[in-house]
Amino acid sequence: MLNLDLDHLAGVVERCELFRVRGELCSAGGLLTATLPAAVGDHCEILPPGGSPVRCEVIGFREGRASLASFDPAEGVRPGMEVVRRGAGPLVPAGEGLLGRVIDGLGRPVDGRGSLVGCTRVAVHQKPPAAMERARVLKPFVTGQRAIDGLLTCGRGQRIGIFSGSGVGKSTLLGEIAKGSDADVNVIALIGERGREVKPFLDDCLGVEGLRRSAVVVATCEQPPLLRVRAARTALAIAAHFRDAGKNVLFLADSLTRLAMAQRELGLALGEPPSSRGYTPSVFQLLATTVESLGNAATGGITAVLTVLVDGDDMDEPISDAVRSLVDGHVALDRRLAERGHYPAISIARSVSRVAADVSTPAHQASARKLRGILATYAEVEDLLRIGAYVKGSSPPVDKAIELMPSVEAFLKQSIGERLSLEQTREAMDKIAAVWPF
């Protein structure tokens, strides 16, 4: 019996053109240009004689010609080649059939497991929920990580950033959150990753258990910038589909910095004026659109954990500064903690959750403040302790902080694969807080 995907066929029929618009390729100076009457966002193909079509998207106009960015490598194209308009951008797969699968930015499976089954097709461009339609963030979102659940408590529908330089443990922390959270579905966007790191992330960081309830969209660093940007939009469309179905969705993106770099390439090629470190205005608009597409709606919610690769460990560089102003909290990873083998290497003093007071009890907040007080008191004399200049008995709060620091550090550290419920985290935190009298 023939099994037809009627939803897909209906979408194809609706998008069929009654006639075909053609043009010619004119130049390839940064962007491809063509004499093609088409709208921004339309897809088209360059047809090399005897070769495979080069898929492109119209991203602007200049002097009456369409500016095209390609999804495929454009080597070998030359002036005069035929360009065919294929209509508005294609639909992308979404739904339960994507769980456990890995696709690229155009929705094509790249995991070697055959075609997708049990998916519906949705438009890649989804409007963010209107401000007055968003449900408030009032329920805690459990990540399974003590340091976050205890001191940086997150809520369902919150957007939180993980900020750090390279090699400090962002991807490992993402994988642990994906495996240990209480989300119904994970949607993971790997944007601009090195190809060598994709499979280790899936096998080691995410694991079989995490992948089973995850849809993964991958665009590696060598792929054209348009495909990297499209991968993020595809992941957002998939997450929005699950949210509209009433699911509690966890959206993980690694990383927003590489997404910004891809958009910078497109913006500079279009002639946008560069600003700080060469980032163009469209970069900051894309970041705002991406973050605002996440969060709660009337039916379901998307909790987002978005990594930011901090350039030169400078937390005030343009992308870090922009993202920090958009998200509902940030987790800063500290290279010095990582060098000491302290994982996850979260700097509690430099991190904050802006919804913690809305999703935790007063007793929880009181215990969290006490642990922060221990950390802050110890930090004030840490340099003196390192050189042996502190005299015991000089300050009762400092003496108590020194006594409790081993317990606090043990609480903040967590092994890979170890996960705890919110009740277990609260119990461990309350035990330490109970003996801090200040």
Side-chain angles (χ1 to χ4, degrees), residues 196-376:
R196 178 190 63 79
E197 294 182 333
V198 172
K199 192 163 177 56
F201 175 83
L202 298 176
D203 294 344
D204 302 333
C205 297
L206 194 58
V208 175
E209 180 184 350
L211 183 59
R212 188 180 297 117
R213 58 179 180 141
S214 302
V216 184
V217 185
V218 175
T220 49
C221 57
E222 87 287 355
Q223 293 180 322
L226 182 62
L227 190 56
R228 284 176 266 152
V229 173
R230 174 52 58 88
R233 289 174 174 165
T234 296
L236 290 171
I238 294 168
H241 175 80
F242 282 119
R243 175 180 61 193
D244 294 343
K247 300 286 188 182
N248 172 24
V249 184
L250 173 61
F251 183 89
L252 305 170
D254 190 11
S255 68
L256 288 189
T257 303
R258 294 192 175 109
L259 174 63
M261 290 177 176
Q263 183 61 37
R264 177 173 62 182
E265 292 181 49
L266 295 175
L268 291 174
L270 270 175
E272 290 186 58
S275 58
S276 179
R277 303 202 186 183
Y279 289 105
T280 58
S282 63
V283 169
F284 302 101
Q285 178 60 50
L286 176 62
L287 291 175
T289 302
T290 299
V291 173
E292 282 300 294
S293 296
L294 304 162
N296 286 336
T299 53
I302 303 174
T303 306
V305 181
L306 314 166
T307 70
V308 177
L309 181 62
V310 179
D311 188 8
D313 287 342
D314 177 10
M315 289 291 288
D316 295 321
E317 56 91 20
I319 300 304
S320 299
D321 200 41
V323 174
R324 195 164 53 248
S325 71
L326 294 169
V327 294
D328 309 313
H330 55 274
V331 175
L333 303 187
D334 191 327
R335 189 176 299 278
R336 293 176 300 174
L337 290 175
E339 290 169 349
R340 286 176 12 209
H342 181 126
Y343 289 104
I346 298 174
S347 172
I348 300 298
R350 299 167 64 198
S351 305
V352 67
S353 171
R354 295 177 183 168
V355 304
D358 297 324
V359 298
S360 58
T361 65
H364 183 156
Q365 296 167 35
S367 293
R369 284 194 296 271
K370 286 194 172 187
L371 263 69
R372 282 182 174 270
I374 296 169
L375 290 166

Side-chain angles (χ1 to χ4, degrees), residues 34-291:
T35 56
L36 183 73
V40 171
D42 281 354
H43 278 220
C44 56
E45 290 181 347
I46 301 170
L47 304 178
S52 300
V54 177
R55 286 160 295 189
C56 304
E57 181 178 307
V58 179
I59 64 171
F61 297 95
R62 184 175 297 167
E63 298 178 355
R65 296 177 177 176
S67 298
L68 315 176
S70 65
F71 291 107
D72 302 312
E75 288 83 1
V77 300
R78 62 177 183 272
M81 282 185 174
E82 183 180 16
V83 183
V84 178
R85 177 184 178 273
R86 296 300 188 191
L91 304 176
V92 295
E96 300 289 335
L98 279 179
L99 298 183
R101 301 300 304 270
V102 184
I103 61 175
D104 68 4
L106 296 177
R108 301 169 297 189
V110 294
D111 53 8
R113 295 174 51 194
S115 58
L116 301 172
V117 178
C119 295
T120 58
R121 300 276 168 170
V122 299
V124 72
H125 295 286
Q126 300 283 327
K127 289 185 178 180
M132 298 305 295
E133 295 175 0
R134 293 179 181 267
R136 289 190 61 186
V137 179
L138 297 173
K139 294 181 179 179
F141 181 84
V142 181
T143 66
Q145 299 294 302
R146 274 190 302 256
I148 296 176
D149 293 341
L151 300 177
L152 305 168
T153 314
C154 299
R156 291 190 180 185
Q158 181 178 5
R159 293 80 52 91
I160 193 161
I162 297 180
F163 295 74
S164 84
S166 58
V168 187
K170 293 187 304 299
S171 297
T172 301
L173 182 56
L174 275 188
E176 290 300 292
I177 292 173
K179 288 185 290 186
S181 78
D182 60 355
D184 299 323
V185 175
N186 302 324
V187 178
I188 302 173
L190 302 179
I191 310 299
E193 286 290 312
R194 292 180 286 270
R196 178 190 63 79
E197 294 182 333
V198 172
K199 192 163 177 56
F201 175 83
L202 298 176
D203 294 344
D204 302 333
C205 297
L206 194 58
V208 175
E209 180 184 350
L211 183 59
R212 188 180 297 117
R213 58 179 180 141
S214 302
V216 184
V217 185
V218 175
T220 49
C221 57
E222 87 287 355
Q223 293 180 322
L226 182 62
L227 190 56
R228 284 176 266 152
V229 173
R230 174 52 58 88
R233 289 174 174 165
T234 296
L236 290 171
I238 294 168
H241 175 80
F242 282 119
R243 175 180 61 193
D244 294 343
K247 300 286 188 182
N248 172 24
V249 184
L250 173 61
F251 183 89
L252 305 170
D254 190 11
S255 68
L256 288 189
T257 303
R258 294 192 175 109
L259 174 63
M261 290 177 176
Q263 183 61 37
R264 177 173 62 182
E265 292 181 49
L266 295 175
L268 291 174
L270 270 175
E272 290 186 58
S275 58
S276 179
R277 303 202 186 183
Y279 289 105
T280 58
S282 63
V283 169
F284 302 101
Q285 178 60 50
L286 176 62
L287 291 175
T289 302
T290 299
V291 173

